[in-house]
Amino acid sequence: MSATPQKNRASRRVLAAAAGLVTVGALVAAMPAGAHDRGHGHGGGHGHGHKPRTVDVQLLSFNDLHGNLEPPAGSAGNVSETQPDGTVKAIPAGGVEYLATSLRTARKGNPYSVTAAGGDMVGASPLLSGLFHDEPTIEALNGLDLDVTAVGNHEFDEGATELARLQNGGCHPVEGCYEKGKKFKGADFPYLAANVTKEKTGKPLLKPYTVWKKNGVKIGFIGVTLEGTPDIVTANGVKGLKFHDEVETINKYARELDRKGVKSIVALIHEGGAPASTSYNYDCDSPGAGDGISGPIVDIAKGITPKVDALVTGHTHQAYVCTVPDPSGKPRMVTSASSFGKLYTDTTLTYDRRTNDIVRTSVKSANHVVTRDQPKAPDMTRLIDRWNKLAAPIANKPQGWISADINGRGSTAPEKPLGNVIADAQLEGLAPADKGGAEVAFMNPGGIRADLVHKASGSEGDGVVTYGEAFTVQPFTNMMNVVDLTGAQLVTALQQQVSGPNEASPKILQVSKGLTYTLDLTKSGADRVVAGTIKLNGEAIDPARTYRVAMNEFLAGGGDGFPALGQGTNKLVGASDLDLFNAYLAAHSTATAPLAPPATDRITVIQ
């Protein structure tokens, strides 16, 4: 999902305050060189003697983990499952202790097994990972025996140098090493970024592909992120980089692999689609192949050369197993496993030793729930406990109290209760004249990464919001901006929620109290925002008047497809979004008078 990029200013600040946690280390950021063969198959071979002509290769895949090492809380930790009677059941899922068990169980009896991921393994992470610049997640992925992943947009949140450090190891350049005597080793799997090149040299930033090998079986993996990554990451994150067309890039490297004799190819693509149902077990090939899925991945899949045998996708946090026809009209598997480690996909690729290619007609795939009623993997429990001890002094500090769940990520409505709380916190903190004089605040929905959950996550007690929980909701610690925008620019910005790059998949801004309007989803494009209904404190927006508008620096830079918001002038930089959120919780809640979920009556929706 698009979202404001993580700066980890909060982690710099809080870790400096807890200086005892840190020792100094060095950055190792040499970019990985060209593609290398790689493969550590799980399990044993077939033994000596006659080799059968075909061998089944198990491809396990997942995507959009976002550093969720612990089971995600509240509705963000559920997957939907359609029952035989048509009802839909919510199943609690996810957490790397369970993901490790699921993957290890799935590999049993499969001598040829490879595990791949579709990007956004890190970034927008809960405090347990985000506080430590996602080193704990890389360590967990190493333990999960991940073989390869594509980069996603969030891998660029802290820029190319930090991405190289995650790949190659070395302690953080500012904060050093987090554990005495331990140097961060980096990922023991390759990050693939075939469509990301350095502007100065034109050369790939990281390896474009890798080849997994076992007993003569060879499978090439090409990894790309969405071409639109610069639109959803801050300018600093993508500085000096160019992002290229997904289809052209994959087709180019598929030809290169083919020339090298690698005929079996899987594309890992950090871009996705929207199935017609949110249930993970929905049949999106009904009534016909790929009929149940829409979104950018459909056109991408239709354009990728038939040399590619399967597509592992991500970014939209949806669950699907579909067959979308390739350019020759043959169906080809396109999969995505939701997000946060709640599902994994198990795909069978039948490899023909005579042709060195996958028998496409026999590719089978299914998504499986990472249930929480299976044993936890002890090594992952130890990893979580170790990092939790380091994070505890900061993570467990109470910030406020709530009377019930306040849904953000878990709300599918255009206006989210938690979105209203965040926008109100930003308006309240920046309304004083010396803080910017804000009259209205906007929050991008992709920047709300979780729900505020009433049930205790640890020993803090039900209803208590800890620093760790607040950080999980707003992990980017973006600095707030207050700018001048005309009424006309405000109206244009609201129309950009549902037009231009956001027309196919609207991004509805969360608005502070006092701003009201009607969203008519029966119309198309910019007309879906009914201009005549837009009011601030009961008064129609005056196109010629100047308004003081608060928003995070990502939106103020025109991010997420809102160029009108990037036209602001007379900018004042305020506190971070997380600081304002925590200040609001402290000011509006006590143990005896907790904050209740707000009404969602600012945007009138016509369906």
Side-chain angles (χ1 to χ4, degrees):
M1 291 299 225
S2 66
T4 49
Q6 182 168 7
K7 299 291 188 47
N8 268 310
R9 287 197 186 84
S11 62
R12 285 204 287 276
R13 189 174 61 248
V14 290
L15 275 177
L21 302 181
V22 183
T23 56
V24 179
L27 170 69
V28 178
M31 298 293 179
H36 301 296
D37 290 342
R38 167 181 167 72
H40 57 257
H42 308 285
H46 275 306
H48 302 290
H50 175 68
K51 283 183 177 173
R53 174 164 171 177
T54 63
V55 57
D56 281 349
V57 177
Q58 177 189 56
L59 170 63
L60 300 176
S61 57
F62 57 97
N63 51 277
D64 296 277
L65 182 65
H66 290 289
N68 278 262
L69 302 181
E70 296 176 296
S75 56
N78 292 335
V79 293
S80 298
E81 180 181 75
T82 300
Q83 305 301 300
D85 65 359
T87 58
V88 176
K89 181 179 169 186
I91 302 172
V96 294
E97 293 160 298
Y98 303 111
L99 179 60
T101 300
S102 288
L103 294 176
R104 288 163 188 171
T105 304
R107 289 173 189 144
K108 282 177 186 165
N110 288 284
Y112 294 82
S113 184
V114 56
T115 304
D120 276 8
M121 294 295 98
V122 300
S125 307
L127 187 83
L128 176 61
S129 187
L131 189 62
F132 306 106
H133 294 275
D134 283 312
E135 289 181 22
T137 297
I138 297 296
E139 196 180 300
L141 292 169
N142 288 345
L144 289 174
D145 282 330
L146 183 63
D147 286 295
V148 57
T149 184
V151 293
N153 52 290
H154 281 280
E155 265 81 19
F156 294 93
D157 282 351
E158 294 187 55
T161 305
E162 175 63 4
L163 172 57
R165 186 183 77 87
L166 291 180
Q167 175 74 82
N168 298 315
C171 297
H172 192 271
V174 176
E175 290 168 18
C177 300
Y178 295 114
E179 296 175 287
K180 200 171 179 180
K182 267 193 181 179
K183 183 178 153 188
F184 173 58
K185 290 185 179 136
D188 66 10
F189 50 89
Y191 260 115
L192 303 181
N195 66 331
V196 187
T197 57
K198 299 179 209 173
E199 269 177 1
K200 280 184 180 168
T201 63
K203 289 185 175 163
L205 173 68
L206 296 168
K207 288 165 58 169
Y209 59 79
T210 190
V211 180
W212 179 87
K213 287 180 176 180
K214 182 159 187 202
N215 296 344
V217 173
K218 290 189 293 190
I219 298 181
F221 288 88
I222 303 167
V224 298
T225 185
L226 67 153
E227 187 183 3
T229 292
D231 303 330
I232 52 177
V233 172
T234 53
N236 278 344
V238 293
K239 200 172 175 184
L241 302 176
K242 281 191 88 166
F243 291 76
H244 303 273
D245 183 83
E246 304 94 339
V247 175
E248 287 172 20
T249 304
I250 291 168
N251 289 351
K252 170 185 162 184
Y253 286 111
R255 285 193 298 273
E256 189 171 310
L257 281 166
D258 187 58
R259 280 199 304 273
K260 289 183 171 184
V262 179
K263 308 292 183 185
S264 299
I265 302 171
V266 175
L268 309 174
I269 308 170
H270 191 70
E271 178 60 290
S277 161
T278 55
S279 291
Y280 83 90
N281 56 341
Y282 162 69
D283 178 7
C284 74
D285 284 340
S286 172
D291 285 345
I293 189 167
S294 59
I297 199 62
V298 178
D299 285 339
I300 290 171
K302 286 177 177 171
I304 290 173
T305 170
K307 291 183 197 305
V308 174
D309 299 296
L311 277 54
V312 171
T313 73
H315 188 54
T316 56
H317 290 206
Q318 301 297 310
Y320 48 83
V321 172
C322 308
T323 52
V324 177
D326 69 13
S328 71
K330 286 183 186 155
R332 176 169 55 195
M333 200 59 80
V334 179
T335 66
S336 172
S338 184
S339 63
F340 301 170
K342 293 181 289 190
L343 298 175
Y344 71 92
T345 313
D346 189 337
T347 302
T348 302
L349 302 170
T350 301
Y351 184 93
D352 186 330
R353 289 181 184 277
R354 205 167 296 168
T355 63
N356 297 326
D357 206 350
I358 301 298
V359 184
R360 280 264 297 276
T361 50
S362 66
V363 176
K364 295 182 186 67
S365 193
N367 274 327
H368 301 278
V369 182
V370 176
T371 59
R372 299 184 199 164
D373 58 4
Q374 59 185 321
K376 295 178 179 182
D379 56 328
M380 294 296 154
T381 304
R382 286 193 297 273
L383 182 150
I384 288 168
D385 289 348
R386 209 179 84 236
W387 288 102
N388 262 332
K389 271 198 194 85
L390 285 177
I394 298 146
N396 298 338
K397 202 175 165 196
Q399 303 298 311
W401 290 262
I402 55 173
S403 64
D405 287 3
I406 304 180
N407 282 347
R409 198 75 184 180
S411 166
T412 54
E415 181 184 349
K416 304 168 193 310
L418 190 51
N420 287 357
V421 172
I422 291 169
D424 288 352
Q426 294 176 353
L427 177 63
E428 184 172 292
L430 300 171
D434 64 334
K435 297 281 196 289
E439 299 167 85
V440 64
F442 292 133
M443 175 65 193
N444 57 312
I448 306 167
R449 304 305 299 185
D451 304 332
L452 277 186
V453 179
H454 185 262
K455 185 174 166 41
S457 59
S459 58
E460 75 273 14
D462 290 351
V464 179
V465 180
T466 65
Y467 185 88
E469 290 165 339
F471 184 99
T472 298
V473 168
Q474 294 230 271
F476 301 109
T477 49
N478 273 313
M479 303 316 285
M480 292 300 299
N481 289 183
V482 186
V483 299
D484 283 349
L485 286 171
T486 64
Q489 287 169 323
L490 266 186
V491 172
T492 301
L494 290 171
Q495 290 172 329
Q496 285 169 350
Q497 301 175 110
V498 289
S499 62
N502 293 330
E503 179 157 6
S505 182
K507 289 194 180 81
I508 305 303
L509 295 166
Q510 306 300 287
V511 299
S512 55
K513 62 186 174 194
L515 188 80
T516 55
Y517 70 93
T518 297
L519 183 66
D520 187 347
L521 297 177
T522 65
K523 296 182 175 169
S524 62
D527 292 341
R528 286 184 273 192
V529 172
V530 185
T533 66
I534 304 170
K535 292 180 180 176
L536 184 59
N537 302 320
E539 289 185 16
I541 294 286
D542 177 353
R545 195 196 131 189
T546 296
Y547 294 84
R548 292 293 283 164
V549 182
M551 58 194 134
N552 59 50
E553 60 192 318
F554 173 64
L555 277 179
D560 258 358
F562 291 99
L565 295 180
Q567 293 166 359
T569 56
N570 193 18
K571 177 168 81 172
L572 185 140
V573 178
S576 77
D577 50 10
L578 181 62
D579 284 348
L580 293 180
F581 184 48
N582 283 330
Y584 186 86
L585 290 171
H588 291 271
S589 68
T590 63
T592 51
L595 181 69
T600 49
D601 53 6
R602 301 170 190 183
I603 305 171
T604 302
V605 181
I606 299 170
Q607 302 271 19

